[in-house]
Amino acid sequence: MSLTGVLLVAEQRNGEPRRMALELATRARQLADEGCGPVSAVVIGPGASAAAEKLGEYGVERAFVSEDKRCGSFPVVAEAAVVERAVQAVAPLIVLIAASNAGRDVAARLSARLGLGVIAAATDVRVAEGQPVVTCPVFGGSIVEEKGFVDGRGVVLMRPNAVSAEASPASIQTAIEFLDVVIETGHAAEIVETAAESSSSLPVEESSVVVAGGRGLGTAEGFELLRELARELDGAVGSTRPAVDAGWIDYATQIGLTGKIVKPKLYIALGVSGAVQHRIGMQTSEVIVAVNRNPDASIFQYSDFGVVGDLFEIVPRLIESIRKRKQG
Ligand SMILES: Cc1cc2nc3c(=O)[nH]c(=O)nc-3n(C[C@H](O)[C@H](O)[C@H](O)COP(=O)(O)OP(=O)(O)OC[C@H]3O[C@@H](n4cnc5c(N)ncnc54)[C@H](O)[C@@H]3O)c2cc1C
């Protein structure tokens, strides 16, 4: 069988594809337009078929679906088994997986089971002379490497937010195939309980507004002010590494080299100096606003709007003016 096309692993939640799934579908469709071959997807877990249907808007021609309940309880083992079956069915040139926690686990298992190479932390992939060429920034983005696979095919772990999700100009109907896979869960760790976060906002990497706080917030209580602003703007809370290390906020909110990559429409940085390791995670935001009392803070070099001043004076005034505006 010839190796052709892209197979993407589309993460979904309650029947809705996650934003990173739409990003992968967008890049896969663009590769198809450039002659790389058909786009197929694997969608797993309760709600998978509803999510698979929506992928047609992004150009996915064929979706392999498993709603097996074990995918929720034994996530890595069950999902890897399903993805393996789909890879065997289409023999793709490229398997595209989002570099989420689950995605990394699945990629590792897939590599072990099928002997496929994995290239991690990718920001792009193209095809040249019939082989994938994968772009990976290293050393904080100061060097960009292009890598290929020894076998000429493999798994690409794409960083979330590296590509913008764009619906296809011509929506198609995705052909859905249900996979019935034998899943060996003998030695697998099982999820026995899941607790939802109390936050009503989207995860920081999926929100179109991010309000991020750094060491300048001073304490965990300082983040309360930031949360208030985020609520007014329907946004998510982000943070720098020192704020996480100090225990003021969860690691899930950390943005940067060792945290999340975000690409919101609006990014507000409060008490953030703008170190390169942070910048890597937010520099492609559409509009960047910074509040910092140091006029020489490097965050101002790449902000669209900057306010020099004490955030504890400025943010309450900002919240007040947003509220007044909302009241009309
Ligand atoms: C390998 C490695 C990986 C890293 N990964 C990450 C990462 O993923 N994400 C990340 O963020 N960092 C990361 N870092 C850390 C990074 O180098 C910086 O130390 C960090 O980003 C700085 O965080 P900060 O801006 O909150 O703190 P600081 O650099 O201390 O800046 C605080 C800022 O707040 C301002 N400020 C203080 N008080 C006020 C006030 N009342 N009002 C207004 N402004 C005020 C100050 O002027 C200052 O500019 C990493 C470092 C290494 C070595």
Side-chain angles (χ1 to χ4, degrees), residues 135-200:
T135 307
C136 301
V138 290
F139 295 119
S142 53
I143 295 175
V144 175
E145 288 181 342
E146 287 202 323
K147 302 180 184 176
F149 296 99
V150 175
D151 297 343
R153 63 182 290 230
V155 179
V156 178
L157 270 171
M158 284 278 282
R159 286 189 190 178
N161 285 311
V163 177
S164 298
E166 286 167 24
S168 169
S171 177
I172 55 172
Q173 190 159 3
T174 306
I176 294 182
E177 292 172 42
F178 286 89
L179 289 181
D180 189 12
V181 178
V182 178
I183 299 170
E184 306 281 349
T185 54
H187 300 292
E190 182 179 2
I191 293 181
V192 289
E193 194 183 346
T194 306
E197 264 184 88
S198 57
S199 161
S200 58

Side-chain angles (χ1 to χ4, degrees), residues 233-245:
L233 295 170
D234 247 342
V237 170
S239 65
T240 64
R241 183 159 145 175
V244 172
D245 288 348

Side-chain angles (χ1 to χ4, degrees), residues 183-323:
I183 299 170
E184 306 281 349
T185 54
H187 300 292
E190 182 179 2
I191 293 181
V192 289
E193 194 183 346
T194 306
E197 264 184 88
S198 57
S199 161
S200 58
S201 70
L202 286 169
V204 69
E205 67 276 26
E206 292 186 23
S207 183
S208 56
V209 176
V210 172
V211 185
R215 205 188 325 244
L217 281 162
T219 58
E221 291 70 45
F223 269 87
E224 281 311 313
L225 181 63
L226 185 143
R227 283 195 187 91
E228 212 179 322
L229 177 59
R231 268 195 299 275
E232 288 302 327
L233 295 170
D234 247 342
V237 170
S239 65
T240 64
R241 183 159 145 175
V244 172
D245 288 348
W248 301 341
I249 184 111
D250 285 347
Y251 169 65
T253 64
Q254 185 183 312
I255 292 163
L257 183 64
T258 44
K260 304 266 174 70
I261 308 280
V262 300
K263 199 178 181 182
K265 288 189 173 20
L266 173 63
Y267 186 89
I268 303 181
L270 305 175
V272 172
S273 61
V276 64
Q277 293 88 353
H278 184 75
R279 189 168 97 197
I280 287 161
M282 44 65 77
Q283 62 192 352
T284 56
S285 304
E286 279 179 36
V287 176
I288 298 172
V289 179
V291 180
N292 196 304
R293 65 182 177 195
N294 175 6
D296 298 323
S298 58
I299 188 94
F300 289 131
Q301 288 169 20
Y302 50 94
S303 297
D304 299 281
F305 300 95
V307 183
V308 177
D310 188 328
L311 71 92
F312 292 103
E313 287 170 19
I314 290 158
V315 175
R317 283 160 58 191
L318 182 58
I319 293 171
E320 197 187 318
S321 70
I322 293 169
R323 285 183 182 148

